[in-house]
Amino acid sequence: MPNSVMPLKRESSYKAQVPSADAAQADRAAVLSPVGSLKRGGSLAGSTDQLLQTPADLVCPITLNLFQDPVINSLGQVYERSAIQRHLIQAAVNGHPATDPVSNAVLPSMDLVPVYPMRSRAAEYRETTARTCVQVAATADCTAPVRYLRRAAELVVTESNGGGSSSSTHRKGGSSSNSSGCATPASNASPPNTSHSSGITP
């Protein structure tokens, strides 16, 4: 495919994936609604489910975790940088063409472009949700405080471990929860190594 065509296609796909200010505002409204309900004298019943479920468009299709460093590939799909880099490196090691993990289509280019608006939106969602979960867990109306404290800890641990390289507690076999059900960082875990010499564009 001619080089002159690729930037146009990638730019078009990129714009389609960039979250709008309205999306970020909707995130804040959904996360803060339980706190607002309490301030107005209401109850928590039926108003906190959204705190335990990450918006689908902020989740990497590979890691199933909240984005930390989202990048968009040449076909317009967004992934966590470390996860898509591992996928591309493994394909190269096995002698296979570089493909998109979701569509399995061959990538016309291995360029990975940072999606800064989505990174900012994910970071704001993480901070706001973790704080709100702690506030909800501390209320008298909360019947399952451990669930919300675990959710808050999950978000904080995911951030400190670099997003897609960590295993979140909603995935089977996650190692970030102790016997009481509260998530705690693994103190002896080695930090993920995301540096590679494959020539993939950072």
Side-chain angles (χ1 to χ4, degrees), residues 150 154 157 161 165-179 181-190:
R150 181 167 60 185
E154 172 189 317
V157 170
N161 285 347
S165 60
S166 67
S167 178
S168 77
T169 56
H170 74 271
R171 300 174 63 188
K172 185 176 181 180
S175 58
S176 58
S177 60
N178 58 26
S179 58
C182 293
T184 56
S187 57
N188 295 326
S190 300

Side-chain angles (χ1 to χ4, degrees), residues 2-192:
N3 292 335
S4 60
V5 176
M6 282 307 305
L8 295 176
K9 182 175 182 181
R10 189 167 64 248
E11 181 68 14
S12 175
S13 300
Y14 172 80
K15 287 181 178 179
Q17 292 283 351
V18 173
S20 65
D22 291 340
Q25 182 63 33
D27 290 340
R28 286 192 294 271
V31 169
L32 294 176
S33 63
V35 176
S37 177
L38 287 175
K39 289 181 178 179
R40 293 189 298 271
S43 73
L44 289 173
S47 64
T48 57
D49 288 348
Q50 65 270 21
L51 296 176
L52 305 175
Q53 299 178 354
T54 304
D57 58 333
L58 293 181
V59 174
C60 172
I62 298 177
T63 66
L64 303 182
N65 287 335
L66 182 64
F67 281 124
Q68 178 81 8
D69 185 12
V71 294
I72 190 168
N73 66 13
S74 54
L75 290 179
Q77 179 64 51
V78 180
Y79 297 99
E80 183 65 33
R81 180 188 294 276
S82 60
I84 187 62
Q85 284 182 335
R86 283 195 300 270
H87 171 80
L88 296 176
I89 290 169
Q90 190 62 47
V93 169
N94 294 335
H96 298 154
T99 59
D100 178 80
V102 169
S103 66
N104 206 34
V106 175
L107 295 172
S109 167
M110 292 179 68
D111 289 348
L112 300 173
V113 180
V115 188
Y116 294 114
M118 186 169 287
R119 179 192 294 183
S120 298
R121 183 183 162 204
E124 181 176 0
Y125 172 84
R126 178 182 293 107
E127 179 181 352
T128 304
T129 303
R131 183 173 60 249
T132 305
C133 280
V134 172
Q135 292 175 337
V136 169
T139 63
D141 287 348
C142 184
T143 58
V146 170
R147 293 181 63 196
Y148 296 96
L149 292 176
R150 181 167 60 185
R151 172 64 167 162
E154 172 189 317
L155 293 169
V156 174
V157 170
T158 300
E159 180 179 24
S160 65
N161 285 347
S165 60
S166 67
S167 178
S168 77
T169 56
H170 74 271
R171 300 174 63 188
K172 185 176 181 180
S175 58
S176 58
S177 60
N178 58 26
S179 58
S180 66
C182 293
T184 56
S187 57
N188 295 326
S190 300

